[in-house]
C-alpha cells in the first residue's frame, strides 16, 4: 500500500522496484478494467478454457517461466513453476502435489525466488510450486467494474485458466495447498473459501484477510495507486454483499474443513527490523481518525493486517475451522514473511501428504 521505507521493506505493494510498478500500472490502465464476482461458487471441474501458451523459458535448472495469453486478463501474463525432481522426464499421466504461492500487491512471482529463495528449500523437491502473476493491486478477484464486467478477471485467470492448463499439460495434480504474503494471503483464504475443496490447507502471512473490517484502508491503498477503488468490489455499503462474498471472515464456515495458518506482526519494530527503523511514508486515509494507531506503530499497514488476522482467527475458531496462529512484534516486510513461510511449510506439506513432510 505504501512506498518502501527501507531497502527490504515492502508494505502492501511489496516491491521496491518502481520501474516494474510503472510498467504494471501501464498495463492495468491500458486494459479495460475489471469483471464481476457476486457469490461464493464451487470449483468448475470442467476446467474452463486453458490459455494459449506463448513461450516456455527455463530460467534455472528447476525454474520454468510460462508466458500465457489470458482472455480473463485481456493481455499476456506469466506463471513461474518450481519443478519437482523428475518433472522433465514426466510421462503423460504423471502428477505431483501442488503448492500455490501467491504474491502480494505487487503481483510479481519473482519475489518467491529472489526474496525468499524457495528454490533452495529441500522440502520442495517433490512438489510442483506454482507462482502466478497478478495485476498490481489485483486483490485476487474478478473486479466488479461498476457492474460492467471485463478484464482483468484475476480469479478467473488463476482458477479457470492457469489451474486447468497446469493439470492437463504440466504435471499438476489435484492435491493442492496455497500460501501468500499480504494480498496473497487474502487470495489463498478467499479462493479456498469461495471454492470448497480447492485447497487442502492454506496459510496467510500478513494477509488482508478481513477487508470489511477496514474498508477505508482498501480505499486509501487504491487511491494511493491512482486506481478506482470502487471498481474492485463496489461500494462497501451499496455493494456490501459483493464485499462479503470475497471476505474470508464472512466465509468462515466454508473453511471449516480446511486447516488455516495465520501469521502477522503488530506494526511495531520487531526482531527482524533494523535498529532505528523509521515509520512508513504517510498514506492519506490509511489511519482511521476514530481509532488512531498506537504511538509505537511504525508500519500502519502491518498494524491493520495484524488486527484483521486476529479477528479472523477468532471467527474461524468459533466456526470450527482448524486454525494455527503466530502473532508477533514486526512490520510489513519480507524478512518476516520468509520466516513465516518456513515455519508453516511443514504443515502445508503434511496436508499434501508428501514424503518430505
Amino acid at each position: 500500500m505504501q512506498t518502501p521505507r527501507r531497502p527490504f521493506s515492502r508494505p502492501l505493494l511489496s516491491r521496491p522496484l518502481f520501474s516494474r510498478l510503472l510498467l504494471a500500472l501501464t498495463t492495468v490502465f491500458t486494459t479495460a478494467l475489471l469483471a464481476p464476482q457476486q457469490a461464493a461458487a464451487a470449483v468448475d471441474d470442467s476446467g474452463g478454457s486453458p490459455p494459449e501458451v506463448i513461450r516456455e523459458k527455463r530460467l534455472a535448472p528447476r525454474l520454468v517461466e510460462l508466458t500465457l495469453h489470458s482472455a480473463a486478463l485481456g493481455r499476456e501474463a506469466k506463471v513461474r513453476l518450481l519443478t519437482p525432481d523428475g518433472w522433465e522426464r514426466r510421462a503423460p499421466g504423471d502428477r505431483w502435489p501442488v503448492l500455490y504461492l501467491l504474491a502480494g500487491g505487487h503481483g510479481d512471482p519473482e519475489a518467491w525466488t529472489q526474496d525468499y529463495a524457495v528454490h533452495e528449500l529441500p522440502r520442495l523437491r517433490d512438489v510442483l510450486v506454482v507462482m502466478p502473476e497478478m495485476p498490481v493491486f489485483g486483490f485476487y478477484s474478478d473486479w466488479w467494474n461498476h457492474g460492467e464486467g471485463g478484464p482483468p478477471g484475476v480469479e478467473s485467470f488463476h482458477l479457470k485458466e492457469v489451474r486447468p492448463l497446469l493439470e492437463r499439460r504440466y504435471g499438476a495434480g489435484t492435491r493442492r495447498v496455497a500460501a501468500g504474503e499480504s494480498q496473497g494471503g487474502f487470495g489463498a483464504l478467499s479462493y479456498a473459501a469461495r471454492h470448497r475443496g480447492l485447497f487442502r490447507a492454506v496459510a496467510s502471512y500478513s494477509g488482508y484477510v478481513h477487508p470489511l473490517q477496514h474498508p477505508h484502508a482498501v480505499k486509501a491503498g487504491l487511491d494511493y495507486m491512482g486506481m478506482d477503488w470502487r471498481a474492485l468490489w463496489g461500494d462497501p455499503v451499496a455493494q456490501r454483499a459483493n464485499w462479503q462474498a470475497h471476505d474470508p471472515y464472512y466465509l468462515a464456515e466454508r473453511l471449516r474443513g480446511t486447516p488455516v495458518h495465520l501469521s502477522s506482526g503488530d506494526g511495531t519494530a520487531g526482531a527482524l527490523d533494523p535498529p532505528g527503523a523509521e515509520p512508513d511514508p504517510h498514506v492519506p486515509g490509511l489511519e482511521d481518525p476514530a481509532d488512531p494507531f498506537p504511538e509505537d506503530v511504525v508500519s500502519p499497514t502491518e498494524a491493520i493486517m495484524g488486527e484483521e488476522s486476529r479477528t479472523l482467527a477468532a471467527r474461524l475458531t468459533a466456526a470450527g475451522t482448524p486454525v494455527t496462529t503466530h502473532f508477533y512484534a514486526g512490520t510489513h516486510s519480507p524478512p518476516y514473511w520468509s520466516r513465516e513461510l518456513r515455519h508453516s511449510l511443514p504443515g502445508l506439506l503434511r496436508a499434501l501428504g508428501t514424503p518430505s513432510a
Side-chain angles (χ1 to χ4, degrees):
M1 183 175 292
Q2 300 142 308
T3 53
R5 57 186 171 83
R6 53 188 184 277
F8 62 74
S9 178
R10 196 179 293 113
L12 251 196
L13 181 58
S14 294
R15 291 297 285 174
L17 304 179
F18 289 102
S19 60
R20 293 187 185 181
L21 169 60
L22 292 174
L23 176 62
L25 284 175
T26 299
T27 302
V28 170
F29 290 115
T30 54
T31 302
L33 277 177
L34 320 172
Q37 203 51 262
Q38 297 183 358
V43 174
D44 178 7
D45 290 329
S46 66
S49 300
E52 175 188 359
V53 179
I54 299 173
R55 287 183 299 277
E56 294 184 14
K57 182 178 180 181
R58 182 167 295 280
L59 305 176
R62 293 174 53 223
L63 190 62
V64 176
E65 183 177 80
L66 307 179
T67 302
L68 315 175
H69 183 272
S70 167
L73 296 182
R75 62 170 175 83
E76 292 184 10
K78 298 183 185 300
V79 177
R80 288 194 168 195
L81 305 178
L82 180 63
T83 61
D85 291 339
W87 182 84
E88 296 82 359
R89 303 181 301 277
R90 66 188 182 280
D94 288 343
R95 296 289 183 271
W96 284 266
V98 184
L99 166 63
Y100 282 84
L101 293 178
L102 305 181
H106 56 83
D108 189 348
E110 291 183 17
W112 296 107
T113 49
Q114 290 187 350
D115 296 338
Y116 311 130
V118 297
H119 55 293
E120 298 177 1
L121 297 176
R123 288 177 178 267
L124 296 181
R125 299 196 71 92
D126 51 7
V127 176
L128 178 64
V129 181
V130 178
M131 299 163 282
E133 177 184 340
M134 180 186 71
V136 171
F137 259 59
F139 263 103
Y140 292 88
S141 301
D142 287 358
W143 283 48
W144 183 64
N145 199 26
H146 305 284
E148 295 183 0
V154 182
E155 182 176 350
S156 290
F157 170 60
H158 289 155
L159 303 187
K160 294 184 179 180
E161 294 183 343
V162 171
R163 181 184 66 84
L165 171 70
L166 299 181
E167 292 176 3
R168 293 174 187 177
R169 294 180 51 182
Y170 292 93
T174 56
R175 288 182 291 157
R176 316 176 195 92
V177 296
E181 58 167 51
S182 194
Q183 281 188 30
F186 164 82
L189 270 69
S190 185
Y191 283 178
R194 289 168 58 77
H195 305 275
R196 299 177 75 169
L198 178 65
F199 298 121
R200 294 187 172 198
V202 290
S204 166
Y205 318 125
S206 301
Y208 212 124
V209 291
H210 184 11
L212 265 171
Q213 186 173 358
H214 300 100
H216 69 278
V218 177
K219 178 182 183 300
L222 288 166
D223 282 348
Y224 190 75
M225 299 299 297
M227 301 170 72
D228 179 1
W229 71 277
R230 288 187 179 88
L232 175 56
W233 300 310
D235 183 90
V237 176
Q239 282 76 44
R240 185 176 180 85
N242 197 30
W243 282 67
Q244 291 179 339
H246 292 84
D247 190 325
Y249 180 88
Y250 293 95
L251 305 175
E253 293 188 356
R254 297 181 63 87
L255 288 165
R256 186 173 293 159
T258 305
V260 174
H261 178 76
L262 299 172
S263 66
S264 185
D266 60 4
T268 65
L272 301 184
D273 292 289
E278 297 182 358
D280 292 336
H282 176 64
V283 174
L286 185 62
E287 184 172 41
D288 182 356
D291 186 20
F293 298 113
E295 291 185 0
D296 58 347
V297 165
V298 296
S299 180
T301 295
E302 189 67 3
I304 289 173
M305 303 302 100
E307 289 180 10
E308 295 191 1
S309 295
R310 287 175 170 83
T311 300
L312 179 62
R315 176 72 182 91
L316 292 173
T317 299
T321 299
V323 183
T324 58
T325 62
H326 183 210
F327 300 131
Y328 50 87
T331 58
H332 202 70
S333 54
Y336 294 100
W337 303 331
S338 180
R339 181 188 70 185
E340 297 306 311
L341 169 64
R342 284 158 173 77
H343 284 179
S344 64
L345 190 57
L348 293 169
L349 297 180
R350 280 195 298 272
L352 286 177
T354 66
S356 60

